[in-house]
Amino acid sequence: MTKWGLIGASTIAREWMIDAIRAAGGEAVSVMSMDAARGKTYAAEYGIEKSVISVAGLVNDPDVEAVYISTTNELHRDQALAAIRAGKHVLCEKPLAISLADANAMVKAAREAGVVMATNHHLRNASTHRAMRDAIAAGRIGKPLSARVFHAVYLPPHLQGWRLDRPEAGGGVILDISVHDADTLRFVLGDDPVEAIAFGQSGGMGKVGLEDAVMGVLRFKSGVIAQFHDGFTTKYAETGFEVHGSEGSLVAHNVMTQRAVGRVTLRNADGETELECENTNLYEVTLRAFHDAVAGKGKPAATGEDGVWSLATGLAIVESARTGKAVKIEPGL
């Protein structure tokens, strides 16, 4: 059983990750919050034995084997490096950091220390996206030509804090949502993006001029072009993901979500066929793969390198949205 320390008494850990850790055969044994009272209350409410107020107090605990980092983005680098120096495996929320230099430093440190480093890109673990990837790999739509991602949602009030008013923490829709699009596209297409062009929007939710919506296009090495629309301001839209090829199309509805829902339809000369999807918990898939990697059996579902790729894409989108120019995507791996 892998024993986990939580760096951050966060909403995502409370709503998704603690249960997923346990369902995958692990246990959360400690939580770190700089607010001692909050940490103690959180630990008691979710059945976690210990609460500490410092990263050092958590990563130097011999009972902790792996850490899950879900603090604000500007804190990820130092917290991950502290865990890695202490010999702990690391599962970090996206984006890994707010600069490519920091993200690459995290990945390099983990590699040199011989610990597992993973990025919590949950969407690649959806059975819908895995079915799409498998169908493409099997040639069921011929040569992929284009893709579209609809990931414009409404950011609920309990999450409308730093994402909307702290640019120094990596706030804004691009580093929160567009990085997920980038990772899911890479996973489904088996291809890497090379260039981004985008337009950002401030629709009234971003408090300090941060983009709360964005539209743009990514170009991939193979020549595939992918359109994306991400937002915090869209209350009534359905999410979706499409890939169009020379011999068919894959159309997925309601799939850019944390929940194990959605469906995928294959459309080709034979008509329409709904692909078989198991709809298992996305985070449990993440944790099972992580535990296997810790045991020396395979890789995490999304590696640290995958997190560098999604961050590089997100930063290129940010730059394009603010300059109006196409920007090359260069992860520096």
Side-chain angles (χ1 to χ4, degrees), residues 217-228:
V217 177
L218 301 175
R219 182 167 60 85
F220 284 76
K221 287 180 181 177
S222 67
V224 168
I225 52 175
Q227 174 191 27
F228 60 91

Side-chain angles (χ1 to χ4, degrees), residues 140-157:
R140 299 184 72 181
I141 65 168
K143 178 184 178 182
L145 299 172
S146 61
R148 295 199 295 175
V149 182
F150 312 101
H151 201 171
V153 296
Y154 181 70
L155 188 66

Side-chain angles (χ1 to χ4, degrees), residues 13-25 46 281 284 287:
R14 179 181 75 239
E15 292 181 347
W16 296 100
M17 296 301 291
I18 295 170
D19 285 346
I21 286 170
R22 291 168 177 162
Y46 299 105
N281 183 290
E284 290 179 22
L287 267 299

Side-chain angles (χ1 to χ4, degrees), residues 5-331:
L6 311 179
I7 298 182
S10 66
T11 300
I12 187 171
R14 179 181 75 239
E15 292 181 347
W16 296 100
M17 296 301 291
I18 295 170
D19 285 346
I21 286 170
R22 291 168 177 162
E27 188 52 80
V29 299
S30 184
V31 60
M32 187 283 292
S33 173
M34 290 183 289
D35 182 328
R38 173 180 167 83
K40 287 181 181 178
T41 300
Y42 193 97
E45 186 171 354
Y46 299 105
I48 299 169
E49 180 185 353
K50 307 172 190 177
S51 65
V52 298
I53 59 171
S54 70
V55 172
L58 186 136
V59 302
N60 292 319
D61 183 343
D63 287 339
V64 172
E65 300 169 285
V67 301
Y68 168 58
I69 299 172
S70 59
T71 50
T72 52
N73 302 328
E74 85 284 8
L75 301 176
H76 290 176
R77 181 200 64 180
D78 289 350
Q79 293 169 343
L81 291 177
I84 291 165
R85 284 193 294 268
K88 313 302 183 183
H89 305 289
V90 175
L91 173 59
C92 187
E93 268 304 325
K94 54 75 211 170
L96 285 185
I98 57 176
S99 78
L100 276 176
D102 288 349
N104 275 301
M106 294 158 66
V107 171
K108 180 182 177 185
R111 187 184 305 123
E112 291 176 349
V115 299
V116 175
M117 172 84 192
T119 311
N120 198 23
H121 275 308
H122 63 286
L123 288 171
R124 61 167 54 207
N125 295 320
S127 60
T128 47
H129 294 136
R130 291 180 173 239
M132 294 176 77
R133 177 200 61 178
D134 293 346
I136 292 168
R140 299 184 72 181
I141 65 168
K143 178 184 178 182
L145 299 172
S146 61
R148 295 199 295 175
V149 182
F150 312 101
H151 201 171
V153 296
Y154 181 70
L155 188 66
H158 72 284
L159 297 178
Q160 289 181 19
W162 65 269
R163 289 173 176 84
L164 294 173
D165 58 20
R166 288 190 60 201
E168 74 280 4
V173 72
I174 297 170
L175 293 187
D176 197 61
I177 293 183
S178 301
V179 290
H180 277 314
D181 298 355
D183 184 71
T184 310
L185 283 161
R186 285 187 68 241
F187 177 77
V188 170
L189 295 171
D191 199 0
D192 292 326
V194 295
E195 191 172 22
I197 188 163
F199 290 95
Q201 181 183 61
S202 295
M205 288 181 68
K207 304 294 194 302
V208 289
L210 286 173
E211 295 89 353
D212 51 30
V214 63
M215 283 188 179
V217 177
L218 301 175
R219 182 167 60 85
F220 284 76
K221 287 180 181 177
S222 67
V224 168
I225 52 175
Q227 174 191 27
F228 60 91
H229 175 204
D230 303 320
F232 287 153
T233 56
T234 317
K235 291 183 177 181
Y236 305 108
E238 182 182 62
T239 68
F241 191 112
E242 301 175 1
V243 182
H244 305 283
S246 59
E247 306 298 331
S249 292
L250 292 165
V251 179
H253 295 274
N254 196 27
V255 293
M256 306 302 287
T257 173
Q258 293 169 293
R259 294 176 294 118
V261 296
R263 67 187 191 279
V264 182
T265 302
L266 169 65
R267 295 177 180 169
N268 58 21
D270 297 325
E272 294 191 356
T273 305
E274 189 160 327
L275 301 188
E276 194 169 319
C277 300
E278 295 179 2
N279 285 342
T280 53
N281 183 290
L282 283 64
Y283 295 102
E284 290 179 22
V285 176
T286 298
L287 267 299
R288 289 194 179 96
F290 191 95
H291 290 165
D292 284 347
V294 168
K297 298 179 289 186
K299 298 193 306 181
T303 63
E305 289 84 355
D306 290 322
V308 173
W309 266 105
S310 63
L311 175 61
T313 307
L315 291 174
I317 293 169
V318 169
E319 184 179 346
S320 178
R322 294 178 183 176
T323 64
K325 299 176 181 179
V327 178
K328 293 187 183 301
I329 298 167
E330 298 173 317

